[in-house]
Amino acid sequence: MAANSANLTHRNGSSESPQDSTWSPSSWKSKPIKQEAVYSDQKAVEKAFLKLERLPPIVTPSEIVKLKSSLQDVALGKAFLLQGGDCAELFDYCEESAIESKVKLLLQMSLVLIWGSNKPVVRIARMAGQYAKPRSSPTEIVDGKEFSSFRGDILNGYDLDERDLDPSRLVTAYFHSAATSNFIRASLASGIADLHKPLDWGLGHVQDPELQSKYSAIVASITDSLRFMKTVGADTAGQLQTVDLFTSHEGLLLDYEQRLTRRLKRPSSSPSVPQTDAKTTDDGKAYYNTSAHFVWVGDRTRQLDGAHIEYFRGIENPIGVKIGPTTPSSDLLPLLRKLNPRREIGKVTLITRYGASKVRNLLPEHIRTVEGSEYRQTVVWQCDPMHGNTRSTSTGIKTRRFADIFSELQETLAIHKEEGSYLGGVHLELTGAAVTECLGGSEGLEEEDLSLNYTTFCDPRLNEKQALEMAFLIAGHYRAEQ
């Protein structure tokens, strides 16, 4: 996690405060909402809400402000953002080995990216709260019968007899999030990220001899660099013993997010909010979503006048917005003006997800719209090459091709270079387990291999070998440009 805060900056211009007199953690209720959760037992719902309101924050303002400072560096091209984790986190993933495997994978990937980009890497995990998932339809047909769709463990269960929305799961989600976050903190404090310890870089799965030689050379270079730092004593300040790892999830279930939004004292280095109303005074506090360090608005819920944008515009956290083929360029600046009126650098991350075949036609105009406006060099551009490349096999199994994922990422890198903008990060659905959900990669997974260990309850994820290979490929791109 993180502990210290740092100074933040914003572009000169607008003095509007996002937390004006018209906003409150519940003001979203006055707006139309998508993906709403409708419960049948309102008494149980209110009981769960009251419980959530009494529970302590999961993350702190100082940690949130530290992430904002780090993302400011990303927006300015001084750092790179790695964000990854499960598509739909399950309560069952709140378990030692599952958490450790993802933390270690993100650490290894970040080392490769540091080596390739020659820049610090900001690490954000899709963990400790990614329990809600948007669905294209509220119901599905199973064996000729209609059931409510599985909407994530925070709302209902995957088993057909658990599909009714259960408000007690809101509180259960909180405790699983808190337990996961606390274990991550304890693991980092206990040295899980200590680079004095040997890392398992096993590359035996790489079938192509040329690729294996290339990846082995990268590993040797990283290992030699770490050994050199230890030898000359460059690690005496403890920088090699731990790292910052922030948590994130899609802020889909606004009733839950509202109850964990707290008005708390700003860290001493956090900038004060400009006063916009003579009747109001800055009391040194602000509204923080304390369920995670970073939350994002999904592609299905980013309507300009919708409930989600209304909620997100008032919180101090850094936030993301998914941008895809259905996003008109004319929506981008109104979105930014609502979500970031003070033009804080790094406050908003635009997470682009088009699909390999569409990115060339759509991304350039989106970049020009933003970078040609007053928001030039204020946003973090991040590529999500996963969601636009989902397909189904002939037998109806959802999957993604590794080649398509990397193709969209390559094309995105090329377009940003052409437009003079900076691709600041990548957003991947991945797991530290040896699943078989995405096709291709150095393992050469084929359609017939999917049944070997296909365990996702939602979208297909890169396994640990495919995810590390993706990091190698990104690093190779940046290394070649130096």
Side-chain angles (χ1 to χ4, degrees), residues 124-171:
I124 302 180
R126 287 174 58 116
M127 290 173 66
Q130 180 56 11
Y131 298 126
K133 288 298 296 180
R135 304 312 299 257
S136 55
S137 172
T139 62
E140 63 178 335
I141 303 299
V142 181
D143 295 330
K145 296 182 179 179
E146 187 176 29
F147 294 88
S148 296
S149 296
F150 173 58
R151 297 177 62 182
D153 269 358
I154 194 171
L155 288 171
N156 58 0
Y158 185 78
D159 292 340
L160 296 178
D161 60 354
E162 296 181 341
R163 293 296 179 90
D164 290 340
L165 300 194
D166 180 359
S168 71
R169 286 176 171 267
L170 295 165
V171 178

Side-chain angles (χ1 to χ4, degrees), residues 212-330:
Q212 187 171 70
S213 176
K214 179 180 177 181
Y215 296 161
S216 296
I218 294 174
V219 170
S221 178
I222 294 171
T223 304
D224 287 345
S225 297
L226 293 173
R227 186 183 299 116
F228 175 78
M229 292 177 69
K230 297 170 191 174
T231 301
V232 302
D235 61 342
T236 54
Q239 291 95 332
L240 299 187
Q241 295 174 4
T242 190
V243 298
D244 290 327
L245 179 63
F246 303 96
T247 60
S248 69
H249 62 259
E250 180 177 352
L252 183 66
L253 192 54
L254 294 183
D255 276 319
Y256 179 83
E257 307 300 340
Q258 175 189 329
R259 270 70 193 184
L260 287 171
T261 301
R262 310 289 168 79
R263 188 164 177 81
L264 301 172
K265 184 176 177 60
R266 295 190 194 93
S268 58
S269 58
S270 183
S272 61
V273 176
Q275 296 179 22
T276 59
D277 188 333
K279 298 178 182 179
T280 64
T281 59
D282 183 4
D283 62 359
K285 294 183 178 181
Y287 283 105
Y288 295 90
N289 181 320
T290 64
S291 70
H293 302 105
F294 179 98
V295 285
W296 72 86
V297 185
D299 191 47
R300 294 184 175 96
T301 54
R302 52 167 166 69
Q303 295 78 22
L304 281 169
D305 295 319
H308 287 79
I309 295 301
E310 170 62 22
Y311 169 78
F312 272 74
R313 77 180 181 92
I315 57 175
E316 284 288 302
N317 306 57
I319 57 178
V321 183
K322 288 289 187 85
I323 301 298
T326 61
T327 310
S329 295
S330 57

Side-chain angles (χ1 to χ4, degrees), residues 35-68:
Q35 302 287 321
E36 184 177 16
V38 179
Y39 296 93
S40 58
D41 188 345
Q42 286 303 310
K43 186 175 180 180
V45 171
E46 290 304 319
K47 181 180 179 181
F49 289 166
L50 288 173
K51 178 68 173 177
L52 289 173
E53 288 171 352
R54 292 196 303 268
L55 290 168
I58 296 175
V59 303
T60 67
S62 61
E63 293 173 340
I64 292 168
V65 170
K66 183 168 188 180
L67 176 57
K68 288 180 79 171

Side-chain angles (χ1 to χ4, degrees), residues 41-115:
D41 188 345
Q42 286 303 310
K43 186 175 180 180
V45 171
E46 290 304 319
K47 181 180 179 181
F49 289 166
L50 288 173
K51 178 68 173 177
L52 289 173
E53 288 171 352
R54 292 196 303 268
L55 290 168
I58 296 175
V59 303
T60 67
S62 61
E63 293 173 340
I64 292 168
V65 170
K66 183 168 188 180
L67 176 57
K68 288 180 79 171
S69 177
S70 297
L71 290 175
Q72 175 182 304
D73 288 340
V74 176
L76 295 174
K78 299 176 182 178
F80 190 83
L81 170 60
L82 170 63
Q83 188 171 4
D86 290 293
C87 169
E89 191 177 8
L90 302 181
F91 293 160
D92 284 347
Y93 297 167
C94 183
E95 179 266 328
E96 180 180 1
S97 62
I99 298 170
E100 282 191 346
S101 66
K102 277 174 275 195
V103 171
K104 289 177 179 177
L105 176 58
L106 289 171
L107 172 63
Q108 280 188 291
M109 293 176 71
S110 67
L111 283 176
V112 174
L113 293 171
I114 290 169
W115 175 87

Side-chain angles (χ1 to χ4, degrees), residues 292-367:
H293 302 105
F294 179 98
V295 285
W296 72 86
V297 185
D299 191 47
R300 294 184 175 96
T301 54
R302 52 167 166 69
Q303 295 78 22
L304 281 169
D305 295 319
H308 287 79
I309 295 301
E310 170 62 22
Y311 169 78
F312 272 74
R313 77 180 181 92
I315 57 175
E316 284 288 302
N317 306 57
I319 57 178
V321 183
K322 288 289 187 85
I323 301 298
T326 61
T327 310
S329 295
S330 57
D331 276 3
L332 292 178
L333 294 182
L335 274 171
L336 290 172
R337 288 165 184 155
K338 279 195 172 188
L339 295 172
N340 188 20
R342 288 183 286 155
R343 301 202 289 277
E344 288 182 73
I345 300 172
K347 163 74 175 180
V348 176
T349 296
L350 295 180
I351 310 165
T352 62
R353 33 92 74 220
Y354 304 100
S357 63
K358 297 178 181 178
V359 60
R360 169 57 64 177
N361 292 330
L362 298 171
L363 177 57
E365 185 178 350
H366 284 167
I367 293 174

